[in-house]
Amino acid sequence: MNYSSIDLGAIGSGAYYFNKYFGGEVNFVAHPDGKNDGLYSASAGPIFRAPMQNFTLFAHGLAGGSKLVGPNSYHSYQYHNPWTWGTTLTAGGGMDYDLPFFNNRFSFRLFEADYRYVHTNFGPYTAPPSGPTGGRANISGVDLSTGIVTHFGHIIPPPPVTYSCSASPATVYPGDPITVTGTAANLNPKKTATYTWTSDGGTVSGTSNVANVATTNLNPGSYTAKGHVTEGNKPGEMADCSAPFTVQQFAPPTVTCSANPSTVAPGDSSTITATGVSPQNRPLTYSYSSTAGSVTGNSSTATLNTTGAAPGTITVTANVVDDKGQSASCTASVTVNAPPPPPAPTTSALCSINFERDKRRPTRVDNEAKACLDDIALNLQRSSDAKLAVVGNAAGTEKAGSKLATGRAINTKEYLVKEKGIDSSRISLYTGSTDGKSASSTLIPTGATLDQTGLTPVDESAVVKPAPHKHKAKK
């Protein structure tokens, strides 16, 4: 006898998932007695699922016990087997749609389709009119169901791996090293992370979360180092990062200059100090030049020698060059003072002649006077461009004192000219106001001026020279 299709019933199940894909399920089925055909079952087994965005596919395989009644007799409803326990096997699957409200606590089961096999032994067969009952039931059928799925918990996937990195320093000169450090988050401590690095400039090396970038051959510009971390091939188990860096043009050096002292006397020296600075600490080479004098030195200091330099300003130029050929220069000024003018020449008084001894010839140059005049002649010979002023004086008690003073000056000059060969144009004659029978002499170097206060020039052309004195022989 055959069982009729049971169109009414309920299916309830509960599943516990051990991970995102696998769990265990307990299933309860109730198909009440309709026309003396009915089934209840309880079974358990594994369940598998494949989560997708907003949808979940699942499949399960169950085994358990079943309680079967029936089947209805074709002739009447009076004959059927009583409720009897047997076994059941179920295999199938379905699809759930995750409802967007209540924090995804509910899903709508779009469909579930299961193949069910039921085996029940009702005992010995009993024929009509008492039966028909007994026998073995081996039932194959399909369960089709739909409904609401309630989630009492969620298996939250681990947060995806994230990766960030930075370059230090971010701005360098060619040849400077760069360290790139990556920071990974949400790594699984039970797995081993693998790090790799690339760069669009320079040579990058490193197998950990730290890499080094060599910039020796890089041109100035902007570059990026890229890092990759992975602990598996699944989504969320790998991440990338990038760290920009800039290689800048070598900056030229700068230099400042000073001179100490900045003002010197002719022939003196001054120390020139040049302070060169390279922004990237490149080695510097120094050199110097000057507009006058001579400068020596090839370090940060040099010496300016002003020997032979004319008075005025000397400009010293310092030049610094780094090992990349970039240069800078500065200047320092040194003033060479003009030498002090020589002291103005001054007159100097020479020896004086005394005319006191010869009463009869009060204007005569005696031998003692000649010794003084000889010394005067030597001074004139040594100073060939100097002149001589001879001042004749008379005593206040002398009659015709002016005439006597003039005669004494003339006789003094005459001796120097005739006896000592002095050019007469170098000797000027004056009469003075000094009270005394004398003749004084003053040496007048070139450029010096005689103080003529109290002096009267002698007009030699108007003076009548006395005839030479003749001595009579005594008999």
Side-chain angles (χ1 to χ4, degrees):
M1 302 182 70
N2 295 322
Y3 279 85
S4 302
S5 174
I6 305 174
D7 299 326
L8 300 177
I11 298 176
S13 64
Y16 178 82
Y17 286 90
F18 304 107
N19 56 37
K20 185 177 180 180
Y21 305 102
F22 173 71
E25 181 183 14
V26 177
N27 180 275
F28 300 94
V29 174
H31 296 292
D33 183 7
K35 297 178 181 180
N36 293 323
D37 292 328
L39 175 67
Y40 291 90
S41 71
S43 56
I47 184 170
F48 303 87
R49 67 177 179 179
M52 297 179 293
Q53 186 174 2
N54 299 326
F55 294 92
T56 301
L57 293 174
F58 68 91
H60 56 188
L62 308 172
S66 62
K67 191 175 182 182
L68 182 65
V69 65
N72 287 325
S73 169
Y74 286 109
H75 303 287
S76 68
Y77 296 107
Q78 298 177 4
Y79 305 104
H80 59 83
N81 288 309
W83 293 99
T84 304
W85 284 99
T87 59
T88 181
L89 298 175
T90 304
M95 176 182 284
D96 296 335
Y97 171 71
D98 298 328
L99 299 176
F101 39 82
F102 299 115
N103 197 27
N104 299 115
R105 287 292 180 181
F106 297 95
S107 296
F108 177 66
R109 181 147 293 177
L110 298 176
F111 70 89
E112 180 179 350
D114 296 320
Y115 167 77
R116 183 181 295 278
Y117 172 77
V118 178
H119 171 77
T120 302
N121 187 353
F122 288 109
Y125 176 73
T126 302
S130 300
T133 59
R136 295 179 180 176
N138 293 308
I139 303 173
S140 294
V142 176
D143 286 345
L144 298 175
S145 63
T146 185
I148 297 297
V149 179
T150 302
H151 303 282
F152 293 99
H154 291 279
I155 296 179
I156 302 174
V161 174
T162 61
Y163 200 30
S164 62
C165 53
S166 61
S168 178
T171 301
V172 297
Y173 295 102
D176 291 345
I178 296 176
T179 300
V180 183
T181 303
T183 302
N186 303 325
L187 292 175
N188 188 339
K190 297 180 181 180
K191 296 184 178 181
T192 300
T194 300
Y195 299 88
T196 57
W197 295 93
T198 60
S199 178
D200 59 2
T203 302
V204 62
S205 60
T207 57
S208 67
N209 67 315
V210 178
N212 296 311
V213 181
T215 64
T216 302
N217 298 320
L218 286 184
N219 294 322
S222 297
Y223 301 89
T224 301
K226 297 179 180 180
H228 179 76
V229 60
T230 179
E231 57 181 7
N233 297 321
K234 298 178 182 179
E237 292 184 333
M238 61 188 72
D240 298 303
C241 70
S242 61
F245 63 90
T246 301
V247 178
Q248 63 182 359
Q249 178 68 46
F250 280 118
T254 59
V255 64
T256 57
C257 296
S258 62
N260 184 31
S262 58
T263 301
V264 297
D268 288 351
S269 297
S270 176
T271 298
I272 309 301
T273 301
T275 304
V277 177
S278 170
Q280 53 276 353
N281 296 320
R282 312 301 306 183
L284 299 177
T285 300
Y286 291 80
S287 61
Y288 298 86
S289 63
S290 62
T291 57
S294 61
V295 60
T296 57
N298 57 8
S299 65
S300 59
T301 59
T303 301
L304 172 67
N305 190 322
T306 64
T307 300
T313 299
I314 298 176
T315 299
V316 179
T317 300
N319 190 63
V320 293
V321 181
D322 64 18
D323 59 344
K324 297 297 180 180
Q326 300 185 107
S327 63
S329 61
C330 62
T331 59
S333 297
V334 177
T335 300
V336 179
N337 287 332
T346 58
T347 61
S348 58
L350 302 179
C351 59
S352 297
I353 302 173
N354 191 292
F355 292 88
E356 294 280 353
R357 288 176 292 278
D358 193 340
K359 304 295 184 180
R360 294 178 56 200
R361 294 171 291 183
T363 63
R364 174 177 173 270
V365 176
D366 60 15
N367 290 333
E368 186 175 344
K370 291 178 181 178
C372 171
L373 295 179
D374 290 344
D375 186 64
I376 291 174
L378 288 176
N379 278 279
L380 288 171
Q381 291 168 357
R382 293 191 193 104
S383 303
S384 59
D385 58 346
K387 295 183 181 297
L388 183 71
V390 177
V391 180
N393 297 294
T397 58
E398 289 182 294
K399 296 179 179 179
S402 175
K403 183 177 180 181
L404 292 175
T406 300
R408 290 166 182 162
I410 290 175
N411 289 339
T412 300
K413 176 178 179 180
E414 188 174 59
Y415 177 84
L416 291 172
V417 172
K418 292 182 177 181
E419 300 296 331
K420 308 306 293 183
I422 304 300
D423 186 352
S424 64
S425 65
R426 298 175 62 190
I427 304 173
S428 300
L429 303 180
Y430 301 89
T431 58
S433 58
T434 301
D435 186 4
K437 301 175 183 179
S438 64
S440 63
S441 299
T442 301
L443 188 66
I444 308 171
T446 300
T449 302
L450 177 67
D451 183 6
Q452 297 187 13
T453 304
L455 301 182
T456 301
V458 175
D459 184 3
E460 296 182 54
S461 63
V463 175
V464 178
K465 295 182 180 179
H469 182 74
K470 295 181 180 180
H471 298 278
K472 293 180 179 180
K474 293 182 179 180
K475 294 182 180 181

